[in-house]
């Protein structure tokens, strides 16, 4: 079924008696080349379990089903389930789960469906909840090979930003702790219905098999990033000493040990430098 065709989408939805739900970030793809490109590029291993978040009526799901061994798609909107039952009927490697991804025990899900296969995530994410979903995936403890998501182009630029640039933020520093991030391609607003106000982009995160950095005190490492960016216009010394039980002298001496000036702002530190700083302070 041509699931990126506007009249097909409209008739499937009207037959099911539903309309687009803005609160679920429903912007469906209407350019069939985009789901093909996302599915082609989301992992290098055909024998994978792919977890899809928010299948909608299934346009990306069917492309994933054609390329990968098994697909588990998690959709929050109950109204879309009868449509997915119909559009996915011919794919026996697809399982649809009606739930909020933020409530799904991903470890248990992988245990149930992966059967030893590598696991990747692939999704055209609802924009209202992009960062929480990314953090939920990264902190789930599941060893994903890759996470490929379509998100707002502006957010994508933040995820791939270099330290010291205006786009660099806490999410960038945290993501670089888990893996490497690449922006694959941009997608214009006109490729969706209803069209969002902004363009999108597809990013792929390749997770490190073994952690590249192992901070002695992970909580401190995360807090340093958090507070450095919460008060990004302050110097790192002022931002950290205001929130954590370290004196300015202690922080200055740690920065000196790293060869960094005491006037530096947190937004200039790479993930590796945040790890080093937390190791010295702890
Ligand atoms: N995959 C389809 C496509 O590319 O056309 C739809 C993508 S649309 C941007 C986002 C989808 O995520 C919608 O189907 C929406 O109902 C679903 N969704 C929103 N919040 C969700 C959540 N918390 N858990 C699971 N699915 C969610």
């Amino acid at each position: 079924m041509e699931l990126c065709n506007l009249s097909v989408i409209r008739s499937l939805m009207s037959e099911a008696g539903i309309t687009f739900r803005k609160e679920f970030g429903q912007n469906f793809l209407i350019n069939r080349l985009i789901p093909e490109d996302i599915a082609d590029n989301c992992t290098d291993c055909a024998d994978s379990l792919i977890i899809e978040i928010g299948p909608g009526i299934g346009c990306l799901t069917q492309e994933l089903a054609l390329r990968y061994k098994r697909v588990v798609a998690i959709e929050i909107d109950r109204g879309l389930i009868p449509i997915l039952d119909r559009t996915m009927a011919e794919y026996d490697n697809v399982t649809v789960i009606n739930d909020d991804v933020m409530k799904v025990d991903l470890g248990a899900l992988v245990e149930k469906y992966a059967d030893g296969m590598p696991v990747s995530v692939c999704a055209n994410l609802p924009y209202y909840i992009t960062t929480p979903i990314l953090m939920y995936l990264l902190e789930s403890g599941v060893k994903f090979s890759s996470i490929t998501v379509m998100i707002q182009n502006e957010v994508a630029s933040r995820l791939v930003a270099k330290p010291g640039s205006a786009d660099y933020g806490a999410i960038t520093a945290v993501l670089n702790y888990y893996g490497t991030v690449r922006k694959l391609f941009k997608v214009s607003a006109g490729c969706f219905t209803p069209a969002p106000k902004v363009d999108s982009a597809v990013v792929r995160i390749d997770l490190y098999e073994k952690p590249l950095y192992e901070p002695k005190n992970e909580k401190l490492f995360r807090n340093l990033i958090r507070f450095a960016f919460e008060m990004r216009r302050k110097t790192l010394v002022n931002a950290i000493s205001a929130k954590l039980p370290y004196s300015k002298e202690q922080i200055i001496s740690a920065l000196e040990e790293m060869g960094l000036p005491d006037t530096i702002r947190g937004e200039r530190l790479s993930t590796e430098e945040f790890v080093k700083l937390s190791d010295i302070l702890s």
Side-chain angles (χ1 to χ4, degrees):
M1 210 182 288
E2 179 43 272
L3 298 179
C4 282
N5 181 298
L6 193 54
S7 35
V8 172
I9 297 173
R10 282 192 183 134
S11 73
L12 282 170
M13 290 182 74
S14 90
E15 281 165 32
I18 59 169
T19 50
F20 290 104
R21 294 185 66 173
K22 212 173 166 189
E23 72 273 29
F24 288 150
Q26 290 180 350
N27 302 97
F28 292 177
L29 280 163
I30 50 168
N31 176 338
R32 82 184 157 75
L33 299 178
I34 310 294
E36 287 177 14
D37 274 355
I38 300 175
D40 277 342
N41 289 291
C42 73
T43 172
D44 309 326
C45 176
D47 276 339
S48 284
L49 164 67
I50 309 290
I51 298 178
E52 187 193 1
I53 299 159
I57 63 160
C59 69
L60 175 59
T61 326
Q62 69 177 1
E63 298 303 333
L64 293 168
L66 290 169
R67 289 164 179 77
Y68 303 101
K69 190 120 182 211
R70 176 152 271 288
V71 180
V72 174
I74 304 164
E75 173 56 60
I76 198 171
D77 185 355
R78 198 158 29 112
L80 287 167
I81 303 301
I83 299 183
L84 284 163
D85 285 344
R86 210 170 132 191
T87 58
M88 293 302 116
E90 64 188 278
Y91 302 101
D92 59 7
N93 58 341
V94 174
T95 304
V96 175
I97 295 174
N98 178 208
D99 209 340
D100 175 348
V101 66
M102 301 294 285
K103 294 186 181 145
V104 172
D105 178 342
L106 294 170
L109 184 137
V110 166
E111 177 87 30
K112 182 166 176 194
Y113 293 100
D115 204 15
M117 282 184 276
V119 186
S120 286
V121 172
C122 185
N124 171 12
L125 283 184
Y127 295 157
Y128 75 101
I129 193 176
T130 302
T131 307
I133 290 181
L134 281 177
M135 291 314 299
Y136 188 68
L137 295 171
L138 293 169
E139 291 174 351
S140 67
V142 174
K143 289 230 159 287
F144 296 113
S145 305
S146 60
I147 297 174
T148 304
V149 284
M150 177 137 67
I151 54 182
Q152 284 185 28
N153 185 45
E154 197 185 299
V155 180
S157 303
R158 254 188 267 150
L159 301 191
V160 296
K162 297 278 172 261
S165 65
D167 284 337
Y168 187 66
I171 179 77
T172 330
V174 171
L175 264 190
N176 291 338
Y177 172 59
Y178 289 101
T180 54
V181 192
R182 280 179 291 154
K183 194 173 184 177
L184 300 183
F185 50 89
K186 254 179 91 170
V187 179
S188 68
C191 293
F192 301 86
T193 189
K197 290 198 178 72
V198 291
D199 289 338
S200 300
V202 178
V203 295
R204 172 167 159 175
I205 308 163
D206 284 284
L207 285 309
Y208 297 128
E209 234 169 90
K210 280 196 195 138
L212 200 59
Y213 314 109
E214 295 194 67
K216 288 182 194 153
N217 180 340
E218 189 166 335
K219 190 170 171 217
L220 174 61
F221 160 71
R222 286 176 179 281
N223 277 336
L224 286 179
I225 294 180
R226 185 171 148 214
F227 297 132
F229 288 97
E230 242 178 49
M231 292 185 271
R232 65 187 293 158
R233 298 181 68 190
K234 286 193 175 189
T235 64
L236 189 61
V237 173
N238 285 338
I240 299 303
S241 61
K243 292 282 185 171
L244 294 170
Y246 296 100
S247 67
K248 290 188 179 180
E249 290 69 31
Q250 281 173 309
I251 303 164
I252 291 170
S253 130
L255 289 174
E256 254 171 28
E257 199 177 321
M258 294 169 63
L260 298 174
D262 58 8
T263 50
I264 200 163
R265 290 183 183 169
E267 64 196 20
R268 303 205 77 87
L269 265 64
S270 65
T271 306
E272 188 177 3
E273 287 170 322
F274 276 113
V275 172
K276 259 191 203 155
L277 181 62
S278 73
D279 281 354
I280 297 173
L281 288 175
S282 66

